[in-house]
Amino acid sequence: MKFAFKCFSSVIIVCICVLTAGLTKAEAYDMGKVGESKTIGIGFSHTAGIKTDGTLWTYGFDMVPGSGYSSSVEGSYSGGFATIFRTVPRKILDDVVTVSVGHHHRAAIKTDGTLWTWGDNTSGELGNGTTEMSSVPVKVLDNVAAVSVGAYYTAAIKTDGTLWMWGDNSSGQLGNGNTTASPVPIKVMDHVTAICAAIDHTAAIKGDGTLWLWGANKHGELGNGSTVNSLEPIKVMDSVAVVSLGYFYSSAIKTDGTLWMWGNNKYGRLGNGTTENLATPVKIMEQVRSISAGHDHMAALQTDGSLWTWGKNTGGQLGNGTTEDSLIPVKVLEGVAAVSSGEQYMGALKTDGTLWTWGTQYRDFFYRPIWCSNKPFLNMSGLKVSVNNFSPTPIKSTGRFSDVADNAYYAKAVDWAVENGITSGTSSSTFSPNSTCTRAQIITFLWRASGSPEPVGTISVDDAKPGSYYYKAVRWAAENGIIEGKIFSPDSPCTRAMAVEFIWKQSGSPSPAKNADFLDVANNASYVDAVSWALDKGVTGGTNGTTFSPDTACTRAQIVTFLYRANI
């Protein structure tokens, strides 16, 4: 097991920790749901995983009674206990079915339904009637079906559907009508099927699919249109299947697989392309089956097993190979079964039982990094795959294509493109919206949008051969200055820069009303005016507040959407 105790100083990764047989870190406020198991959990700088034999193993930041420094790597004093960073995974319990990890405490449900907690207990979050920390698990409740650990409090659903909570209550997050902490479990609600505890607000899903929230609401995180705290549960949405809460923000998946988010939007954590706070839910994605809200970043797992992340990325926690924030979802991995997010760290359990992690892990309370990686790397194998019973209700398709939903952002654009003869499906029933669009395809789309005029000049392009579907389109584009040169590369992907430049030229190369200010669009780039025009006209925006991502390939859905917006 080797560590490089450095951290990257730019968007290029400088340091990676390779774990040959371990687990790793974070701070996930993930949902506990009746009938489902959670086999990975990420805390402040701590990771827990359940192996296929039911044993629970932990690794990373930990606390033990005492004072001063303690070591594995290095520890630090923090008032009555010592912190250590465990470099070797430690077995904690046998016969475990579910684990949940908070800021500095953990909880596990065993096969017999008993709930065990350990770690920090400053606010009574262990639920054992004291405020003394415990480095070993202590039994708290019987007949427990689900658990969710928050920052300094805990919530559990018993097999009879009753919700019990304990620990910190400074913002009313226990939902019992006051702000007094409780070191023992107190009953809060009936008929609960899912629960998520966060820093200082809480969410519960009832058996009828209604979503209820309570606690802090300074940033609109309760989703009821106000910014006033609530000491008791309030109903926010119907038809909800999954919920996850982050640092002053919230997210929920409805039964149709649509992802909705609200609350604080610093760093673009809501994923809607802006940084403006929202006090009511807004739809972000479709076909989502699982989510995990981190401290300032978000992760969503789609039904096809692809993992998407967005928000803050200074620690490489998005896993996309950069340290740039993203205001919109970016695809990171495929074949994922479960995900858990932390402060600046994330872990994904793949369907083959391997755990992949990335981001920055800290050795102590002083945020001193011990390792960092802005790309996923294999951390551990042999883990039990989480049980997630949620499957989105199929969304009604447009009737034209089975893979274009009525509420897809590109649905109207696809209909417009088909009705105007600009493009058709990849088959009689599919449009393939997520397939990469080639240069030949976009030039053909533009040509058809212009009425499919016959080329009139003698200009020829060497790799546009007579008889190809794009032959006339490419000649027309060359005659009209939309493309240049004798080599076109028709099968190469069309990038965002190419797309806006082609559409801008087809529109007559109008002068932009104002200049776009993106760090990755140079002032002398051939497409700088096209980007500014596209932004001003609403054809497309940046991929986050400071970047346009000009070299990112476009999908068929994106291209027809750009064309639709430019022509309506």
Side-chain angles (χ1 to χ4, degrees), residues 285-302:
M285 295 178 73
E286 298 161 0
Q287 295 300 304
V288 180
R289 66 185 298 265
S290 184
I291 46 178
S292 181
H295 196 271
D296 297 305
H297 65 289
M298 183 71 190
L301 176 59
Q302 291 199 301

Side-chain angles (χ1 to χ4, degrees), residues 480-521:
N480 287 274
I482 297 173
I483 63 172
E484 299 176 354
K486 301 291 287 183
I487 302 298
F488 176 64
S489 302
D491 297 324
S492 296
C494 176
T495 65
R496 287 171 54 82
M498 294 174 191
V500 295
E501 188 171 16
F502 290 157
I503 297 172
W504 173 67
K505 288 180 177 179
Q506 184 242 9
S507 300
S509 303
S511 298
K514 58 182 180 180
N515 293 326
D517 186 20
F518 293 116
L519 297 178
D520 55 358
V521 178

Side-chain angles (χ1 to χ4, degrees), residues 125-339:
E125 53 263 50
L126 298 189
N128 63 341
T130 76
T131 55
E132 296 179 1
M133 71 153 294
S134 177
S135 58
V136 296
V138 293
K139 180 181 172 183
V140 179
L141 284 172
D142 292 302
N143 303 314
V144 176
V147 64
S148 179
V149 171
Y152 301 103
Y153 71 108
T154 309
I157 305 171
K158 300 191 79 171
T159 52
D160 61 0
T162 55
L163 172 64
W164 298 73
M165 302 187 65
W166 57 95
D168 180 34
N169 197 25
S170 55
S171 297
Q173 58 263 51
L174 299 189
N176 64 334
N178 61 55
T179 56
T180 303
S182 175
V184 295
I186 53 177
K187 181 181 172 183
V188 179
M189 296 178 74
D190 292 298
H191 311 299
V192 179
T193 59
I195 182 68
C196 185
I199 293 178
D200 50 13
H201 75 296
T202 308
I205 303 174
K206 285 195 165 188
D208 60 0
T210 55
L211 176 65
W212 299 71
L213 286 98
W214 59 95
N217 196 29
K218 182 179 179 180
H219 305 273
E221 53 262 52
L222 298 189
N224 64 336
S226 78
T227 53
V228 178
N229 291 4
S230 178
L231 305 184
E232 296 180 346
I234 52 177
K235 180 182 172 182
V236 178
M237 296 178 76
D238 292 301
S239 304
V240 176
V242 180
V243 65
S244 184
L245 308 181
Y247 187 51
F248 305 140
Y249 72 104
S250 306
S251 61
I253 306 174
K254 301 193 77 172
T255 53
D256 63 1
T258 55
L259 171 62
W260 299 72
M261 300 192 65
W262 61 97
N264 187 287
N265 200 17
K266 189 176 182 180
Y267 308 114
R269 59 183 74 151
L270 300 187
N272 66 335
T274 76
T275 56
E276 297 178 3
N277 294 354
L278 295 171
T280 55
V282 61
K283 189 177 79 171
I284 305 299
M285 295 178 73
E286 298 161 0
Q287 295 300 304
V288 180
R289 66 185 298 265
S290 184
I291 46 178
S292 181
H295 196 271
D296 297 305
H297 65 289
M298 183 71 190
L301 176 59
Q302 291 199 301
T303 54
D304 62 359
S306 60
L307 179 65
W308 300 71
T309 63
W310 61 94
K312 189 176 181 180
N313 196 28
T314 53
Q317 58 264 49
L318 299 190
N320 64 338
T322 77
T323 54
E324 297 177 358
D325 300 345
S326 179
L327 305 186
I328 60 174
V330 293
K331 186 176 178 180
V332 178
L333 278 175
E334 295 181 344
V336 177
V339 61

Side-chain angles (χ1 to χ4, degrees), residues 493-498 543 548-555 558:
C494 176
T495 65
R496 287 171 54 82
M498 294 174 191
T543 50
F548 182 74
S549 302
D551 297 325
T552 299
C554 291
T555 65
Q558 290 169 338

Side-chain angles (χ1 to χ4, degrees), residues 350-417:
K350 301 192 80 172
T351 54
D352 62 1
T354 56
L355 176 66
W356 296 71
T357 55
W358 59 94
T360 300
Q361 187 167 12
Y362 300 104
R363 68 183 69 183
D364 53 29
F365 286 118
F366 302 106
Y367 287 85
R368 291 182 291 178
I370 193 168
W371 66 262
C372 44
S373 169
N374 57 15
K375 291 183 179 181
F377 63 89
L378 179 61
N379 185 307
M380 188 178 182
S381 58
L383 292 183
K384 183 178 180 180
V385 177
S386 301
V387 176
N388 182 334
N389 296 322
F390 172 60
S391 180
T393 302
I395 303 172
K396 179 185 175 184
S397 72
T398 59
R400 191 189 304 277
F401 300 114
S402 62
D403 55 359
V404 179
D406 277 343
N407 55 359
Y409 76 87
Y410 48 82
K412 289 184 179 179
V414 170
D415 281 343
W416 168 82

Side-chain angles (χ1 to χ4, degrees), residues 36-39 50 54 95-99 108-111 113 384:
E36 297 187 358
S37 64
K38 188 76 176 177
T39 59
I50 303 172
D95 304 318
V96 178
V97 292
T98 286
V99 65
I109 302 174
K110 299 187 74 172
T111 53
K384 183 178 180 180

Side-chain angles (χ1 to χ4, degrees), residues 10 20 23 67 73 79 106 201 238 250 268 273 276 344 417 425 441 457 469 488 525 547:
S10 70
T20 58
L23 291 166
S67 61
V73 173
R106 299 95 183 165
H201 75 296
D238 292 301
S250 306
E276 297 178 3
Q344 291 191 30
Q441 288 171 343
Y469 75 86
F488 176 64
T547 61

